[in-house]
Amino acid sequence: GGGKLCPNKCGKISMDEIFPDAATRREVLNLNAYCPNHHQGCQWIGLLRDLEKHVENCQLAQVKLGADARSKPDPHQPEMAHHFASSSPAKQVKSLPKLSPSAPAEAPVQVQDITTSICQQLQAFQIPSEPDADSKYNVNANSQDTSSVDPRLKHLEKKYNQLEKHFESNIGKLKTEMERLKLLSKSNSNSASPDYNLCYTGDFVWNIINFDLHLSDARSNLRNAMYSQPFYSGIPGYKLCLRINLDGVNTRSRNYLSMYIHLMQGDYDDIMEWPFNRRIKVAIMDRNPDRSQRRNIAEVLTPQSNIAALQHPTECKSPQGYGFAKFVSISRLFSRYYLADNKLTIRVQVLS
């Protein structure tokens, strides 16, 4: 007969001109593919040529419960598949392993209750025993009538659905309870125990890397203020942090670096004297490799009792700071070694 038209409409082609393209087949089979069960959690990714072999052994392959039932992923798929492939529906299905309802001794009562509830549900998930040979539920293994499906399988599907809903409910409860316990643990922590991630010596060093990016953000009004990590003046001591504004705090201080100390609520406030009455030395470090040639830019803050920023903070961090609106011009920072390696280093020392 007549040949078929080429898809590109370049004329008719005959069957004699068509042949398997082995090279293209190899390229296609060497493409990466996901497991069809990746939505159920399978992490397998491999060559397309290996996909069929993987799917045959995938632990998350879907098993259909009954002729019209919807597919469900089942972690016990190998055992279930063996059951459904059995020639006799009278074969007994293996029950799920029983779990211990015990929880760690230090687990709170609420978590133990939820865990126990889940375990009790699992223990109750048992398949009815094999029916007698003369039972009215005994059916022909070759029967295609879905109404005669072994009632044990219907029972299995029903319990599966019940457990799924039960787990979803209790997992939500567990997440809520764990969040509550995190907050409770934080509030009940021993406030006298130091956080060893903080500085407790009253001699704090702040390294600001990628200075040019921070300066660009400040001049673009994206982020002008930067706060340091908190630090303590000692143990016991005051809790403080440093704030810098890389493009000043107002129009008069544009093109200057502003620097302010903020008091914070700390672990030792109840035994400290208020208002804050310590002198503080702040310095931008000249990191010249030749130590004898270093010229740090330093100033000392002297406290005054009538300054609101030095009173006992009523918030986590006092919104008011005290310091210098024009600590140093930005142009001066680009001299010497103040910005070596695009890094600004500031040292804060709490004095007597």
Side-chain angles (χ1 to χ4, degrees), residues 138-322:
N138 195 22
V139 297
N140 187 339
N142 297 319
S143 172
Q144 300 299 316
D145 182 4
T146 58
S147 63
S148 62
V149 173
D150 190 330
R152 292 174 298 133
L153 303 185
K154 293 183 178 180
H155 176 80
L156 173 63
E157 182 180 9
K158 180 179 179 181
K159 294 299 292 184
Y160 188 102
N161 291 333
Q162 291 175 348
L163 277 175
E164 185 178 44
K165 293 179 181 179
H166 181 76
F167 288 157
E168 289 176 355
S169 172
N170 280 284
I171 286 173
K173 292 179 183 178
L174 279 171
K175 288 181 178 179
T176 302
E177 182 62 21
M178 292 307 296
E179 289 299 321
R180 189 188 71 82
L181 291 174
K182 286 180 182 178
L183 295 175
L184 184 63
S185 175
K186 184 176 181 180
S187 64
N188 289 339
S189 61
N190 186 354
S191 62
S193 299
D195 178 354
Y196 292 103
N197 292 321
L198 301 183
C199 168
Y200 283 85
T201 63
D203 191 347
F204 173 70
V205 176
W206 185 16
N207 289 307
I208 302 170
I209 62 174
N210 297 321
F211 179 84
D212 57 349
L213 295 179
H214 295 298
L215 179 61
S216 176
D217 285 349
R219 288 176 169 172
S220 302
N221 293 320
L222 295 177
R223 183 192 180 199
N224 188 17
M226 297 177 63
Y227 290 86
S228 74
Q229 181 183 18
F231 60 94
Y232 279 86
S233 62
I235 299 180
Y238 299 94
K239 188 177 183 180
L240 315 94
C241 72
L242 181 67
R243 184 189 99 217
I244 62 171
N245 295 75
L246 295 181
D247 198 28
V249 291
N250 50 42
T251 55
R252 295 191 301 274
S253 58
R254 293 290 298 272
N255 297 316
Y256 277 84
L257 183 146
S258 304
M259 188 178 299
Y260 293 89
I261 291 291
H262 285 256
L263 289 171
M264 303 181 68
Q265 292 179 339
D267 294 339
Y268 311 103
D269 288 0
D270 291 344
I271 60 174
M272 304 305 295
E273 294 182 1
W274 297 97
F276 179 83
N277 59 1
R278 303 285 186 87
R279 293 182 304 124
I280 296 180
K281 180 179 179 181
V282 289
I284 290 178
M285 311 302 292
D286 180 355
R287 291 180 289 116
N288 191 320
D290 184 351
R291 297 175 65 91
S292 65
Q293 298 298 316
R294 293 177 180 176
R295 300 292 183 268
N296 299 332
I297 305 172
E299 296 286 353
V300 175
L301 284 166
T302 302
Q304 299 178 23
S305 59
N306 61 340
I307 298 178
L310 301 182
Q311 308 304 315
H312 184 205
T314 57
E315 304 177 30
C316 177
K317 177 173 74 248
S318 176
Q320 296 179 299
Y322 78 111

Side-chain angles (χ1 to χ4, degrees), residues 2 12 62 114 140 222 309 332:
K12 291 185 177 182
Q62 294 182 336
I114 298 172
N140 187 339
L222 295 177
R332 185 180 176 187

Side-chain angles (χ1 to χ4, degrees), residues 54-95:
H54 164 74
V55 171
E56 291 176 357
N57 300 303
C58 181
Q59 298 298 306
L60 292 174
Q62 294 182 336
V63 177
K64 288 189 176 181
L65 304 177
D68 300 321
R70 55 197 178 102
S71 298
K72 290 180 176 292
D74 193 324
H76 301 282
Q77 184 268 343
E79 297 168 3
M80 295 290 292
H82 174 73
H83 168 76
F84 292 126
S86 175
S87 60
S88 170
K91 298 286 186 180
Q92 185 173 350
V93 179
K94 294 182 179 180
S95 62

